[in-house]
Every structure is written in C-alpha cells, then in structure tokens.
Amino acid sequence: MAAVPPMLLERLEQSYQLHRFVPGQNPESLATVAPEIQAIVANGESRVTADFLARFPAARILAVFGVGYDGVDAAAARAQGIAVTHTPDVLTDDVADLAIALMLSAARAVPAADRFVRAGKWLQGGFPLSRKVSGARLGIVGLGRIGLAIAQRAAGFKMEISYWARQPKPGVPYAFYPSPQALASAVDILVVSTVGGQPTRGLINAEVLDALGSHGVLVNVARGSVVDEQALVRALTDKKIAAAGLDVFADEPRVPEDLLRMDNVVLTPHIASATLETRIAMSDMVMQNLAAHFEGKPLISRVPYE
Ligand code: 8YV
C-alpha cells in the first residue's frame, strides 16, 4: 500500500484519531483497533484488497488520494457498505501537462540533448536530428477527462488527433479507432491515458507497438499495467519504435534495467500530479469527503461504480 503524503497525514491527524498502516506492515498490527476504524485513506497506487477491507467491519468510507483507484477492490468495498471516493478533475491539468512534456522530451530527445551538452560532446559536433511534433498525428488511448485535456493541448501544436476508447465519445471532433492497434497504425505518437486495472492490463502489447512503427513514440501517464513492459523493452531494443516517455511502471518504484540504460527513453517517477497546488487540492478533496461522510452529507467525489 503506497504511502499517503505527509501534508495530508498532518491534516488528518488534526481532525481524526489516526492509525497509520505502512505498506508491507502486517495488518495484524492493527487488530486491536481494527473494529473501531470508521474510515480508510489510501492513495492512487494503493492495493486495497477484499481481505484487507474485511478487517475493518465498522469502516464506511475509503477515501483515495488520487483519481485512479484500480488498486481498490471496489466491488468488495461496495459489498461491505464502504463508499469509495477519489480526487478527479483537480489533477487533470497537471497530468495532461506532463503527458505533453514527455511527448516533447521523447520526440525531440531533450534529456539526451541535455546530457550531450553536459558531456562536452557538442564540442565535437552537432546533435542528431529528431522528429517534428507540431502537425504530427497523435493517438490518445482513453479519452476521459485527462485524455481530453491532452487533446486540447495537442491542438495547440496543430496535431491531427484521434483516439481509442471502450466506446466512441459523442460530440468529440477526433477520429475514433475501434482498437488500440488500429489507432497505433494511424499515428506518429501514442499517449496512454486510460484507466488501470484488469480491463486494460497489457492493452498496449507487441502488436500495438509494431503498428506504431519505427518512427513511433509512446507516452504513458496512466498505469504501468496498461503497457506490456517486456514487449515495450523489446520494441525499443529492436527499434520497432523510436522512443518513449514513461511516468508509470509495472512494479513501481522499480524500473527495468534495460529502460534505465536507453538514451531514447524519458523516465519520470510517477509525478504527473505531483505539484504543490494539485496535491493540496487533492488533500482538500479527501478531507471534504471525510467531513461530508461524518456529517452525513452527500460525498464530494464518489467513484463511478461500474
Ligand atoms: C497518485 C495517481 O495518486 O491520481 C492518481 O491516480 O496515480 C497519482 O495522482 C499520486 O501519485 C499519489 O501519491
């Protein structure tokens, strides 16, 4: 269970009697207080299983610090009468901004160029040409709040935008493709912004990467589970695609050695929503959901149950 940030812990401590549970800790350690626990707070990467929830019979709310809750067994929470909330919207801009930053960094090889200059290599000659982003064809996998925000930004780069989603989105001015593979074959840059969890596990596989092609660039700001990471390493190694910009990984914080060594891969440590302004806003939403719950008022941002 990934840790909840100190700024939120401090605020929770000021309002509630807090029992901390650190990822990897034995849940038995909470056995004495478990029957009294009325609320649980976790974050977007946390794994909250049915077994774990069953330890807290009095809990009636699970407030997730994050928009993603793919680690939460939402069906088990519902069966146990636990309302699950998350923190959508307040982080949309930051996640979309980082997607664009990773797209530009990977396609224009900005970090590699920075290393080139710092290594003094410019003294021996110029840096290799990269690929144009403005006017390129962008494919968005998952056209929810974050996907739409990425599209709006990409329009500023005069990009030709198309997308894949579980079903076409009425009223959006972008071409819909019925499969990620079909989308990948029609674009230069593929950005993954879909939900995590079982429904999208390994969605971006070897076939999709082959379809993206040897000049293609992959960006992932969703969840590591959505991309078949071994297939991605092979595609980059075999030059089946040109570059990648990755903020999320299959087994965070561990990143495959192969990726760490690649010059054409831009790596960030799951920081898409990691700005002070956004993390304060996310903390506000967690606090507001808890306050609403304990005051018997409607919750601010309950997850949309499937
Ligand atoms: C995390 C995220 O919650 O919102 C999400 O789904 O993945 C992130 O914003 C964040 O990393 C909290 O630690």
Side-chain angles (χ1 to χ4, degrees):
M1 186 171 302
V4 168
M7 68 156 79
L8 177 54
L9 285 174
E10 277 151 33
R11 294 176 68 179
L12 289 167
E13 235 142 24
Q14 282 150 19
S15 305
Y16 305 104
Q17 188 184 354
L18 208 56
H19 299 282
R20 296 190 187 203
F21 179 79
V22 181
Q25 180 185 338
N26 177 345
E28 272 313 310
S29 60
L30 282 173
T32 48
V33 296
E36 295 135 42
I37 299 282
Q38 296 167 16
I40 302 167
V41 175
N43 86 3
E45 299 111 274
S46 302
R47 312 214 62 66
V48 185
T49 62
D51 286 357
F52 184 83
L53 290 171
R55 293 169 179 279
F56 309 102
R60 287 293 167 273
I61 182 170
L62 165 59
V64 176
F65 179 81
V67 65
Y69 52 96
D70 44 290
V72 173
D73 186 333
R78 190 173 191 181
Q80 199 176 315
I82 298 176
V84 180
T85 65
H86 64 154
T87 62
D89 302 317
V90 291
L91 44 67
T92 298
D93 285 339
D94 278 357
V95 178
D97 290 351
L98 192 87
I100 297 294
L102 286 172
M103 177 179 74
L104 287 166
S105 298
R108 297 301 306 274
V110 175
D114 174 272
R115 291 190 294 272
F116 177 88
V117 173
R118 290 174 194 276
K121 293 181 181 160
W122 197 12
L123 301 167
Q124 283 101 44
F127 186 72
L129 298 181
S130 57
R131 303 307 303 256
K132 188 176 172 72
V133 170
S134 284
R137 301 167 302 162
L138 173 68
I140 302 175
V141 179
L143 202 69
R145 287 170 288 248
I146 292 169
L148 277 171
I150 293 168
Q152 280 146 11
R153 285 157 175 74
F157 291 91
K158 299 177 287 214
M159 299 183 88
E160 187 194 316
I161 301 161
S162 45
Y163 74 102
W164 169 85
R166 280 176 283 189
Q167 51 261 335
K169 303 268 175 187
V172 298
Y174 315 123
F176 170 75
Y177 284 79
S179 73
Q181 190 170 346
L183 176 66
S185 66
V187 301
D188 307 302
I189 300 171
L190 195 68
V191 173
V192 182
S193 56
T194 189
V195 296
Q198 204 43 46
T200 59
R201 186 169 297 284
L203 186 70
I204 308 302
N205 54 25
E207 290 70 33
V208 173
L209 296 168
D210 283 354
L212 182 57
S214 60
H215 299 305
V217 174
L218 179 77
V219 171
N220 188 3
V221 292
R223 286 287 185 264
S225 60
V226 181
V227 174
D228 176 338
E229 206 162 69
Q230 289 318 306
L232 175 59
V233 168
R234 280 195 303 280
L236 287 159
T237 307
D238 304 344
K239 301 200 177 333
K240 290 278 181 67
I241 68 168
L246 309 171
D247 185 50
V248 286
F249 304 88
D251 180 24
E252 295 173 10
R254 283 158 290 281
V255 174
E257 282 293 320
D258 295 325
L259 291 177
L260 296 176
R261 279 194 295 273
M262 292 176 185
D263 220 25
N264 55 341
V265 174
V266 181
L267 305 167
T268 52
H270 200 142
I271 58 170
S273 69
T275 64
L276 182 61
E277 297 84 351
T278 292
R279 290 293 167 83
I280 290 172
M282 291 166 69
S283 300
D284 291 346
M285 288 187 89
V286 169
M287 297 304 290
Q288 289 157 4
N289 276 305
L290 290 171
H293 169 73
F294 287 114
E295 292 158 16
K297 293 187 178 134
L299 299 174
I300 312 292
S301 49
R302 193 170 183 159
V303 302
Y305 281 118
E306 293 299 325

